[in-house]
Amino acid sequence: MQLVQNILKQKTGGIFSVAPSDTVYDAIAMMAEKEVGALLVVDAGRTAGIISERDYTRKVILKDKSSKQAQVREIMTTEVVSVTPEMHIDECVALMKKHHIRHLPVSENGVITGMLSLRDLFSAIIDEQADTIEHLEHYVRGEVQ
C-alpha cells in the first residue's frame, strides 16, 4: 500500500483555507473556483476546523439559512481528523469510513501540509491494483520485466 506522502507528491494545487468570520457564500465560491470539496478553516494561523460541501448542504440549505449572511464558524466541523505523511492509504480510508468524512488534512509536526480527498485515495488504490494486475499478467505469460 502506498503512503500518504506519495499521493501528496502527485497532487497539484495548494492548501486552501478560509477564516471563521468569512461568509459561507465566500467559502462555497472558493471551493467552486479551486474545484475542491472542502477547505480548512484557519484562525490566527491555527486550524480551527474544516468546511465541506456536505456542511453547506446539511447546515445551510436544509436549515433555510442564507449563505451570504451565515459565517463559516456557524457550520464548520470543529473536530478535524487528520493523518500524517507516513500513514498508509488503507488507514486513511478506514478513518474516513469510521468518521463519515470525505476529506483528510495531512499534518506534519502540527503543520498542515496537504489535503486528501476520498477521490485521491481511490485513484491511488485503483492505480496500484492496475500495476499489480499488469505484473501478474507478465508473470503468467513468463515475461521478465
Side-chain angles (χ1 to χ4, degrees), residues 130 132-145:
T132 300
I133 290 168
E134 184 178 341
H135 289 296
L136 288 171
E137 287 174 342
H138 287 288
Y139 175 77
V140 168
R141 288 189 212 123
E143 300 169 357
V144 179
Q145 288 191 2

Side-chain angles (χ1 to χ4, degrees), residues 18-33 39 51 56 60-61 65-75:
V18 292
S21 59
D22 288 343
T23 66
V24 171
Y25 181 88
D26 289 337
I28 295 299
M30 181 184 283
M31 284 185 221
E33 176 190 336
L39 301 169
I51 181 172
Y56 173 69
V60 175
I61 297 297
K65 290 185 178 183
S66 166
S67 60
K68 291 188 177 185
Q69 307 271 313
Q71 292 183 327
V72 168
R73 71 170 40 92
E74 296 174 48
I75 70 161

Side-chain angles (χ1 to χ4, degrees), residues 15-129:
I15 304 166
F16 307 111
S17 64
V18 292
S21 59
D22 288 343
T23 66
V24 171
Y25 181 88
D26 289 337
I28 295 299
M30 181 184 283
M31 284 185 221
E33 176 190 336
K34 304 297 184 185
E35 297 181 347
V36 296
L39 301 169
L40 284 176
V41 181
V42 178
D43 189 18
R46 299 185 59 115
T47 302
I50 190 168
I51 181 172
S52 68
E53 294 166 330
R54 184 183 280 184
D55 290 322
Y56 173 69
T57 58
R58 293 182 180 181
K59 299 173 187 174
V60 175
I61 297 297
L62 290 178
K63 297 199 185 238
D64 204 27
K65 290 185 178 183
S66 166
S67 60
K68 291 188 177 185
Q69 307 271 313
Q71 292 183 327
V72 168
R73 71 170 40 92
E74 296 174 48
I75 70 161
M76 69 184 191
T77 299
T78 56
E79 293 183 30
V80 179
V81 178
S82 64
V83 295
T84 64
E86 298 80 23
M87 289 180 72
H88 291 264
I89 59 175
D90 57 335
E91 295 173 290
C92 296
V93 172
L95 276 173
M96 288 177 155
K97 182 178 178 185
K98 178 182 177 185
H99 295 282
H100 306 283
I101 56 177
R102 296 179 184 173
H103 299 88
L104 282 173
V106 181
S107 176
E108 190 168 17
N109 300 321
V111 176
I112 302 294
T113 58
M115 179 86 84
L116 292 178
S117 69
L118 197 54
R119 178 181 294 170
D120 296 328
L121 298 176
F122 284 166
S123 292
I125 290 168
I126 290 167
D127 291 346
E128 192 169 286
Q129 289 176 345

